[in-house]
Amino acid sequence: MTTPPPAHSPTGADTTTDPTPQAPAPTPETHPTRTTRAHSFNTAAAQYAANRPSYPPALFDAIEDLAGHPLPGSRVADIGAGTGIATALLNARGADVIAVEPGDGMAAQFRRTLPAVPIIRGTGDDLPLATASLDFVTYAQAWHWTDPARAVPEALRVLRPGGALALWWNTDALDVPWIAEAAARTARHFGIDVSAEKRNVNAQAADPTGRLDFTRRTVRWSRRVPVDTHLANIASHSVFLVNDEEHTATFLAAEREHLLNAFPDGSVEEVYEVVLLLAKTKT
């Protein structure tokens, strides 16, 4: 659930009058399907690569700590690799990493960004990887596009004994007033609460069968970016990509005005909490 904006915002943003048009409550007929949303990124791969946030070094420290195994020299498959944001960091950490990505547009952008890193086409529900061949299977912003009933057995199949499945998501820090206010405006305009979707990350949702024993850890970090980079970042999310172009443009124009009123210097500090779920296989 989105945190409601305070009555008096320390950022200076107007919380009493909001010119952003409100969308009607979504219905099953108007809600885009998960498949439609999952494939929407292929049309915006370059925008995604240029503007999405990365991940802090402390996240990879946490992965190694919880797994009890270093990433350098480990065989890693990064599933739903997208444009390669997480793959590049795993590679730089010293992992022997291979990427798996189903989308044409995302895979093409990945190859432009990381030409030396191998990428194969596939999904987490049917991994094109050998049994017991990996030390880590990772999903950055991607596990929610899988069917856990299929993806969990596949991850267990390809992991070696003592290997680890690591799932993580950048989630908005809703205790930051301007971020909570922006999330509320998004919810009103599109009739969907993206922040709550990402926040509702837990072991039960990740593995409804209970076969995996997840440990959860959060890592807080931030980045300062121009307002236009921030807007391009949020516009690369599926809820924006699958909506009517005019409806999205109207929101982004109003949001830009909100943010420039609140931050006259033209930059914002995006604050995130990376939610990490990690489960080890039996040795």
Side-chain angles (χ1 to χ4, degrees):
M1 183 173 65
T2 301
T3 305
H8 300 286
S9 167
T11 66
D14 181 4
T15 61
T16 56
T17 59
D18 186 352
T20 307
Q22 296 186 21
T27 67
E29 291 75 22
T30 60
H31 250 329
T33 66
R34 185 178 71 169
T35 300
T36 300
R37 289 179 62 181
H39 287 293
S40 67
F41 301 111
N42 290 296
T43 64
Q47 177 181 345
Y48 191 111
N51 300 289
R52 282 290 186 106
S54 185
Y55 304 101
L59 167 65
F60 301 95
D61 294 339
I63 291 170
E64 292 179 325
D65 180 44
L66 293 177
H69 189 75
L71 283 165
S74 292
R75 179 71 170 161
V76 180
D78 188 30
I79 317 300
T83 62
I85 294 172
T87 313
L89 296 172
L90 289 162
N91 184 61
R93 192 86 175 195
D96 178 12
V97 60
I98 185 170
V100 177
E101 168 57 38
D104 292 340
M106 298 294 262
Q109 182 64 44
F110 182 103
R111 292 188 180 100
R112 285 191 287 270
T113 306
L114 297 169
V117 177
I119 180 171
I120 55 178
R121 307 300 295 279
T123 73
D125 295 345
D126 187 17
L127 291 172
L129 301 166
T131 298
S133 60
L134 300 166
D135 299 301
F136 290 90
V137 170
T138 62
Y139 282 82
Q141 312 287 138
W143 182 258
H144 53 285
W145 301 121
T146 70
D147 174 3
R150 298 174 63 189
V152 168
E154 277 294 271
L156 292 174
R157 178 183 65 80
V158 301
L159 282 168
R160 294 169 178 159
L165 171 64
L167 324 174
W168 67 85
W169 294 262
N170 268 324
T171 68
D172 297 327
L174 296 176
D175 59 323
V176 178
W178 82 264
I179 294 175
E181 294 159 13
R185 289 192 294 269
T186 303
R188 288 195 296 271
H189 189 83
F190 292 102
I192 185 171
D193 190 345
V194 180
S195 296
E197 284 189 323
K198 293 191 295 184
R199 181 67 66 184
N200 293 334
V201 174
N202 54 64
Q204 177 61 35
D207 177 23
T209 69
R211 293 179 64 182
L212 298 174
D213 184 15
F214 281 112
T215 300
R216 178 185 171 113
R217 188 169 292 182
T218 61
V219 178
R220 192 177 179 97
W221 74 288
S222 67
R223 67 170 189 168
R224 181 164 290 278
V225 295
V227 164
D228 287 340
T229 298
H230 170 72
L231 292 174
N233 166 27
I234 64 173
S236 73
H237 286 76
S238 61
V239 67
F240 290 79
L241 297 174
V242 299
N243 260 275
D244 175 77
E245 218 171 283
E246 185 177 349
H247 191 61
T248 295
T250 298
F251 174 83
L252 292 173
E255 189 64 12
R256 189 173 192 276
E257 186 176 345
H258 274 297
L259 294 175
L260 289 177
N261 284 336
F263 303 102
D265 69 348
S267 69
V268 297
E269 185 178 11
E270 297 177 342
V271 184
Y272 297 98
E273 287 185 348
V274 187
V275 177
L276 168 65
L277 297 176
L278 187 139
K280 294 180 64 176
T281 62
K282 294 179 180 179
T283 56

